[in-house]
């Protein structure tokens, strides 16, 4: 092997110039670049160690994904935190910890759409103002599980996408709370409260609750994981639910003769059971709290929460349909929803306000991301 002395003078001169050109500043810049790349990989991408592969790519354990993608007591089945849109779509056919979160809301959304189609074929939504609150309610039943399914599908595209997806989810839920209030006021309100100030301003209170629901839930996305964040997020939806349900509980407890014999009473009562079960599952994280890693793919609390909330909505819809049919004769003489703005338009206004709220929180998120 030739030594350095055997090289020709031009070759030695060229190597000398190369060595001279590698200044300390360039060495430092190179080291900084490597450190930056390393930190970026640590923050956004899992390590190469993986459990298995799915249609959407590798699936990861909890210690292989960034902390803000962690779910309490869920140890595996995580998707890549920088998934493409196609990978997100394919992941609904993989065994991930989000798969059943998607299907437990997407399929009910399809069912509610089918119900809306059937109702549109049998009721005169265009001319009969008595049906307008029902139209708004069933529409909200369609969009809230659909928005949830979309959020659970695409939230792993990026850190920002995760927040924005759940902003949309919260907004759809707030519209649903207004849809429930509108339908209750129209068809299920206690007869003795209909002509009181409470009955007259009930929808106004529901509008305020809907706006506060969206704003509060979105604000919790900027809070660190804590009991306070959990309470605020749950309270953002529990308060509108309790507000909507107060007149119904009053009817069930202090019903007059005409209200006590309604067939809807059974379904109203059962939907309360499912609703409280849903809240219990959401707050306790059972059963995975007691058996971490055993319910990562099937059977964890968020999936059960979805199922319970949908069962509550099924019963709620049946009860409202029965009230609408059985109380029509008594309600029509005092019917006040004679203008479109009393039902459908107020829901459109809330959807517009929620869009503005989401836009403002999204801008705040982008600014915060740039400052990091």
């Amino acid at each position: 092997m030739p030594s350095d002395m055997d090289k020709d003078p031009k070759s030695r001169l060229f190597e000398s110039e190369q060595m001279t050109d590698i200044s300390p500043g360039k060495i430092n810049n190179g080291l900084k670049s490597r450190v930056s790349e390393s930190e970026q990989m640590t923050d956004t991408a899992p390590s190469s160690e993986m459990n298995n592969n799915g249609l959407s790519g590798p699936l990861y354990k909890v210690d292989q994904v960034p902390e803000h993608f962690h779910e309490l007591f869920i140890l595996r089945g995580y998707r890549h935190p920088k998934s493409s849109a196609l990978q997100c779509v394919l992941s609904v056919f993989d065994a991930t910890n989000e798969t059943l979160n998607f299907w437990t809301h997407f399929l009910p959304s399809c069912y509610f759409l089918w119900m809306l189609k059937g109702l549109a074929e049998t009721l005169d939504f265009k001319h009969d103002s008595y049906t307008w609150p029902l139209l708004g309610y069933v529409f909200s039943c369609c969009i809230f599980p659909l928005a949830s399914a979309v959020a659970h599908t695409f939230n792993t595209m990026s850190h920002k996408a995760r927040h924005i997806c759940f902003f949309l989810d919260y907004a759809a839920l707030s519209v649903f709370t207004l849809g429930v209030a509108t339908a209750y006021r129209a068809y299920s309100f206690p007869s003795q409260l209909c002509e009181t100030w409470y009955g007259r301003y009930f929808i106004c209170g529901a509008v305020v609750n809907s706006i506060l629901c969206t704003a509060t839930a979105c604000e919790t996305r900027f809070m660190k994981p804590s009991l306070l964040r959990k309470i605020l997020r749950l309270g953002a939806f529990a308060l509108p639910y309790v507000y909507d349900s107060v007149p119904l509980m009053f009817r069930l407890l202090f019903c007059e003769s005409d209200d006590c014999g309604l067939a809807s009473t059974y379904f109203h009562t059962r939907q309360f059971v499912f609703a409280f079960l849903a809240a219990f599952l959401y707050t306790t994280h059972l059963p995975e709290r007691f058996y971490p890693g055993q319910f990562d793919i099937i059977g964890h609390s968020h999936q059960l929460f979805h199922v319970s909330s949908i069962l509550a909505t099924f019963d709620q819809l049946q009860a409202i349909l029965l009230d609408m049919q059985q109380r029509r004769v008594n309600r029509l003489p005092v019917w006040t929803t004679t203008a479109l703005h009393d039902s459908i338009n107020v829901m459109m206004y809330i959807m517009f306000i929620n869009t503005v709220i989401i836009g403002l929180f999204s801008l705040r998120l982008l600014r915060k991301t740039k400052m990091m």
Side-chain angles (χ1 to χ4, degrees):
M1 188 173 179
S3 65
D4 287 290
M5 295 299 295
D6 295 330
K7 296 179 182 178
D8 66 293
K10 289 185 178 181
S11 176
R12 291 200 302 271
L13 179 61
F14 175 72
E15 290 178 359
S16 175
E17 289 174 348
Q18 277 190 316
M19 291 296 293
T20 305
D21 190 54
I22 303 176
S23 62
K26 289 191 175 183
I27 293 174
N28 289 336
N29 289 338
L31 289 173
K32 288 180 181 179
S33 176
R34 290 183 182 180
V35 170
S36 177
E37 289 174 5
S38 175
E39 289 175 347
Q40 187 176 7
M41 287 295 291
T42 302
D43 184 57
T44 62
S47 65
S48 59
E49 183 188 355
M50 61 192 78
N51 289 336
N52 51 38
N53 288 324
L55 292 174
S56 60
L59 301 179
Y60 301 92
K61 296 179 181 178
V62 65
D63 57 352
Q64 296 173 300
V65 296
E67 186 177 357
H68 48 267
F69 284 88
H70 292 183
E71 299 292 343
L72 288 177
F73 311 109
I74 302 299
L75 307 184
R76 59 190 175 90
Y78 289 90
R79 296 171 292 170
H80 197 287
K82 288 287 186 179
S83 300
S84 67
L86 177 59
Q87 286 177 308
C88 290
V89 172
L90 291 175
S91 72
V92 303
F93 303 103
D94 284 336
T96 76
N97 55 40
E98 288 275 34
T99 301
L100 289 184
N101 288 341
F102 168 81
W103 290 109
T104 50
H105 266 177
F106 178 74
L107 293 178
S109 179
C110 294
Y111 169 79
F112 289 129
L113 284 170
W114 176 76
M115 282 286 294
L116 180 59
K117 177 180 178 295
L119 290 170
E121 292 172 351
T122 57
L123 300 175
D124 186 6
F125 282 136
K126 186 175 182 181
H127 301 103
D128 185 2
S129 66
Y130 187 69
T131 66
W132 291 345
L134 177 67
L135 174 60
Y137 168 72
V138 179
F139 172 73
S140 70
C141 287
C142 295
I143 64 170
F144 96 80
L146 182 60
S148 172
V150 170
H152 283 292
T153 302
F154 295 102
N155 72 83
T156 55
M157 290 186 68
S158 69
H159 173 65
K160 293 189 289 290
R162 182 175 179 83
H163 287 297
I164 293 172
C165 279
F166 287 110
F167 289 165
L168 294 171
D169 185 22
Y170 303 151
L173 276 170
S174 83
V175 171
F176 174 69
T177 65
L178 179 61
V180 171
T182 304
Y184 278 177
R185 178 62 184 87
Y187 311 120
S188 304
F189 223 68
S191 299
Q192 58 266 49
L193 296 181
C194 284
E195 301 304 318
T196 64
W197 66 268
Y198 179 62
R200 287 192 294 271
Y201 294 102
F202 180 74
I203 297 298
C204 296
V207 168
V208 174
N209 281 336
S210 183
I211 296 171
L212 291 176
C213 167
T214 305
T216 304
C218 289
E219 178 63 32
T220 63
R221 301 296 308 179
F222 295 89
M223 299 173 62
K224 294 182 178 180
S226 63
L227 179 61
L228 176 61
R229 187 181 77 167
K230 195 76 173 179
I231 292 172
L232 286 176
R233 189 173 296 174
L234 180 63
F237 303 106
L239 176 61
Y241 177 82
V242 171
Y243 177 86
D244 292 351
S245 301
V246 164
L248 192 57
M249 288 187 285
F250 180 89
R251 187 187 113 182
L252 295 177
L253 294 172
F254 307 104
C255 60
E256 293 184 342
S257 57
D258 292 340
D259 292 342
C260 291
L262 292 171
S264 63
T265 301
Y266 169 75
F267 292 100
H268 280 308
T269 303
R270 198 170 70 172
Q271 73 94 4
F272 281 132
V273 174
F274 285 128
F276 285 120
L277 176 61
F280 173 79
L281 291 166
Y282 182 82
T283 54
T284 60
H285 294 280
L286 294 176
E288 67 272 14
R289 176 184 289 273
F290 292 150
Y291 303 99
Q294 298 299 310
F295 299 94
D296 293 344
I297 309 303
I298 299 176
H300 63 71
S301 62
H302 202 81
Q303 296 166 358
L304 300 177
F305 161 71
H306 277 197
V307 172
S308 298
S309 63
I310 288 298
L311 290 175
T313 307
F314 284 161
D315 280 347
Q316 188 180 67
L317 175 57
Q318 293 301 318
I320 287 172
L321 288 172
L322 288 170
D323 281 339
M324 177 187 177
Q325 179 183 8
Q326 294 183 336
R327 304 182 86 194
R328 186 182 184 104
V329 174
N330 295 330
R331 298 293 293 135
L332 280 178
V334 293
W335 188 247
T336 57
T337 311
T338 56
L340 192 63
H341 64 76
D342 288 333
S343 52
I344 304 300
N345 273 8
V346 70
M347 192 167 289
M348 296 298 106
Y349 296 150
I350 289 299
M351 291 181 70
F352 173 76
I353 293 172
N354 280 347
T355 302
V356 173
I357 292 173
I358 290 173
L360 292 174
F361 275 101
S362 298
L363 289 174
R364 177 180 168 187
L365 175 65
L366 294 174
R367 287 197 300 268
K368 182 178 179 182
T369 305
K370 288 180 181 179
M371 293 173 61
M372 292 174 64

